[in-house]
Amino acid sequence: MKITRYKRAQRHLLFYRNYFDFRPPYQIILDATFCQAALKNKINIKEQIPKYLNDDVKLLTTVCVVNETERLGHSIYGAMLVIKQFPIHKCGHEKNPISANDCIFSLLQRKEEHYFLATQDQDLTERTRSLAYVPILFIKTNTIILEQPAVEAKDKAIESQQRFHQVDSHQFQTLKKLKKIESLDKPAHVKRKRKGPKGPNPLSCKKKKSVAPNKASSNTNVAVKQDGKKKRTRTKRIPNHIKRMFQKIESDLSLKQQSSSS
Ligand SMILES: [Zn+2]
């Protein structure tokens, strides 16, 4: 398997995964023409398709396809044996089978089922391309190929993206309106009611001084101003090192006096 072919397939798969929400296991509808080409090119469908898509697959066919292949008889006898190996998918025509192409096309129209198509039939391929969201597998020069997404598919992908964004902006506008309505119902300025006991927090308040103004501490003098307000003034404290220095001088002096008297 060539790396370029494999990489190209992965790129196409990514497109279908991103824009049309395809997820493994991929459901692949096979017809007799694909089985005939696989037989002719000695391709093992069961092995090669999962290997090429690098994921799990469900290979399916329908009762209408099998019926038509049986009717064609010996000309495609080998293809008939190959197609009968795959599980029969319910198509809704079990009682009254229709042509293989019409049956497959009716299935492919169910977009939400995310079917792949594997065919060599040109008419069916053309019809399927018009749907734009169906990945198409075909056989060319002994290899399975996933067709490049059609221009219509890319256009549809862009369209669906735009639709998504439109819906998104619409939702945004609706949300905006709802918010506006909600804010109108509420008064503009509502003060929050304070819970708990009223008055200032007792823990954050200073204790009231029970000391009378004439019994002030040694460090503070309380003077009464003319307007009756109290004014606090601080007395300067003598630093300890100076106190110690004076004490030393005093003791030295007393020692000198004692020595002179004796
Ligand atoms: Zn059918």
Side-chain angles (χ1 to χ4, degrees):
M1 187 186 291
K2 282 182 183 176
I3 293 168
T4 49
R5 187 174 72 94
Y6 173 81
K7 276 190 175 177
R8 208 174 293 133
Q10 287 304 310
R11 201 165 62 226
H12 298 338
L13 267 180
L14 196 68
F15 172 84
Y16 287 108
R17 285 175 72 113
N18 286 343
Y19 293 105
F20 297 107
D21 210 25
F22 276 76
R23 293 287 179 272
Y26 302 124
Q27 299 191 98
I28 300 166
I29 309 289
L30 301 140
D31 75 349
T33 60
F34 189 84
C35 294
Q36 176 87 339
L39 199 66
K40 196 181 164 187
N41 291 283
K42 295 175 183 170
I43 293 169
N44 186 327
I45 297 170
K46 280 183 183 174
E47 280 180 13
Q48 292 300 310
I49 291 183
K51 197 177 168 186
Y52 176 56
L53 299 179
N54 196 32
D55 236 316
D56 293 333
V57 297
K58 279 183 185 173
L59 301 167
L60 308 162
T61 191
T62 69
V63 70
C64 303
V65 173
V66 174
N67 272 7
E68 194 176 271
T69 316
E70 282 176 341
R71 276 205 310 275
L72 290 168
H74 288 288
S75 58
I76 52 163
Y77 182 74
M80 187 186 73
L81 293 178
V82 175
I83 201 108
K84 280 186 172 179
Q85 293 175 13
F86 303 112
I88 305 284
H89 191 55
K90 276 190 179 179
C91 62
H93 318 118
E94 284 75 17
K95 287 181 182 174
N96 298 303
I98 57 172
S99 79
N101 281 9
D102 287 344
C103 170
I104 290 174
F105 192 70
S106 70
L107 279 179
L108 298 177
Q109 282 174 308
R110 300 175 196 170
K111 191 182 175 182
E112 68 285 353
E113 296 291 340
H114 302 108
Y115 292 120
F116 279 57
L117 170 66
T119 188
Q120 296 293 103
D121 190 291
Q122 280 305 307
D123 289 341
L124 184 58
T125 302
E126 286 297 325
R127 286 171 77 187
T128 307
R129 276 184 196 140
S130 69
L131 294 174
Y133 52 80
V134 181
I136 302 167
L137 289 162
F138 62 96
I139 292 167
K140 193 181 178 185
T141 56
N142 304 330
T143 49
I144 298 166
I145 291 169
L146 176 64
E147 193 175 81
Q148 187 180 349
V151 179
E152 292 86 356
K154 287 177 180 173
D155 290 347
K156 279 206 173 187
I158 293 163
E159 198 181 292
S160 67
Q161 284 282 308
Q162 282 173 342
R163 212 179 300 134
F164 171 77
H165 286 297
Q166 275 171 7
V167 168
D168 213 30
S169 66
H170 173 71
Q171 283 174 340
F172 177 73
Q173 290 300 328
T174 315
L175 194 73
K176 221 174 165 183
K177 276 180 192 171
L178 283 169
K179 274 189 175 180
K180 217 174 178 181
I181 291 161
E182 201 185 356
S183 67
L184 281 171
D185 291 339
K186 283 181 186 174
H189 299 289
V190 181
K191 272 195 175 181
R192 272 190 168 187
K193 273 194 175 180
R194 198 178 157 180
K195 288 177 184 175
K198 285 175 184 177
N201 182 4
L203 295 170
S204 66
C205 290
K206 274 190 178 178
K207 279 185 180 177
K208 279 182 182 175
K209 279 190 177 176
S210 58
V211 187
N214 53 351
K215 287 180 183 175
S217 67
S218 60
N219 287 345
T220 54
N221 292 324
V222 179
V224 180
K225 270 187 166 183
Q226 282 183 345
D227 56 354
K229 280 185 181 176
K230 292 169 188 174
K231 191 186 175 184
R232 293 179 77 187
T233 51
R234 272 183 176 271
T235 51
K236 280 187 181 177
R237 286 182 73 181
I238 301 161
N240 287 335
H241 69 280
I242 295 172
K243 274 183 182 175
R244 278 197 297 273
M245 198 173 75
F246 280 121
Q247 280 168 0
K248 205 187 172 190
I249 292 163
E250 277 173 357
S251 65
D252 287 350
L253 281 168
S254 63
L255 277 169
K256 273 182 184 178
Q257 279 172 356
Q258 278 173 13
S259 63
S260 63
S261 64
S262 61

